[in-house]
Amino acid sequence: LDDAIGALRFPTWSGAASLNVIDLKSARMANIELWEDLSSVMEVTSELGNYSHFNEFKHLTTLRGKPVDDPAAFVNDARQELDDAMPPPRSAKDIEQHLRRVLKPRSTVASFVFNGTTGHLAIWYAGRAVGHDSPTYEWDLNNFFK
């Protein structure tokens, strides 16, 4: 995980991105936010409770300490507030239920749910919605690269 974070934080490679990086062997996950030459890393742990982000930078700030995103752009987007009001997810099914309640299927390009305990990755896209339809694709990442 640390090597991946170091490589992704290399200046000038990205205009903007928010990436979730998972290390299967050490059972660690981090959210890396990149904007121009700035980056911020937040390791996702169970102590965080419900950690989610909906197309918004959560921990990266400009050099002046201001949000990278314009907070006014999210005034009418209740997804984060709805998700934060739910109990922290403890399983992949819990995450699916969170997404089912907060996502707008017609405006969501793709949804990914990864179970770090089992290595199971499920992806919904092409009109399929988490919690409503079966995944478009599913893989066992613990055995995928063998």
Side-chain angles (χ1 to χ4, degrees):
L1 182 66
D2 296 322
D3 290 341
I5 290 170
L8 290 169
R9 294 181 85 179
F10 187 79
T12 71
W13 86 268
S14 171
S18 177
L19 306 165
N20 294 321
V21 179
I22 301 163
D23 182 337
L24 290 170
K25 290 184 180 176
S26 64
R28 293 172 58 207
M29 178 177 162
N31 174 257
I32 307 166
E33 295 182 345
L34 308 158
W35 179 68
E36 296 180 350
D37 287 344
L38 301 175
S39 64
S40 178
V41 176
M42 175 174 287
E43 188 150 350
V44 179
T45 64
S46 58
E47 289 79 30
L48 289 175
N50 183 4
Y51 181 79
S52 59
H53 59 94
F54 294 93
N55 302 333
E56 179 181 4
F57 287 109
K58 301 263 304 232
H59 48 90
L60 179 67
T61 60
T62 67
L63 291 175
R64 294 185 176 154
K66 303 285 185 190
V68 172
D69 293 315
D70 177 2
F74 301 97
V75 168
N76 294 320
D77 187 349
R79 295 177 299 167
Q80 189 68 64
E81 185 179 339
L82 288 169
D83 195 59
D84 289 345
M86 292 185 241
R90 296 290 177 226
S91 69
K93 287 293 177 199
D94 290 349
I95 293 168
E96 289 177 25
Q97 288 306 309
H98 277 236
L99 294 174
R100 181 175 188 236
R101 289 182 173 165
V102 301
L103 290 183
K104 303 169 190 167
R106 294 184 190 268
S107 62
T108 300
V109 175
S111 297
F112 299 74
V113 175
F114 178 69
N115 184 326
T117 305
T118 66
H120 181 260
L121 172 65
I123 300 174
W124 290 259
Y125 91 103
R128 292 176 169 262
V130 177
H132 297 281
D133 302 301
S134 58
T136 310
Y137 297 107
E138 296 182 81
W139 293 281
D140 173 2
L141 296 187
N142 286 330
N143 296 303
F144 186 81
F145 298 101
K146 291 183 180 179

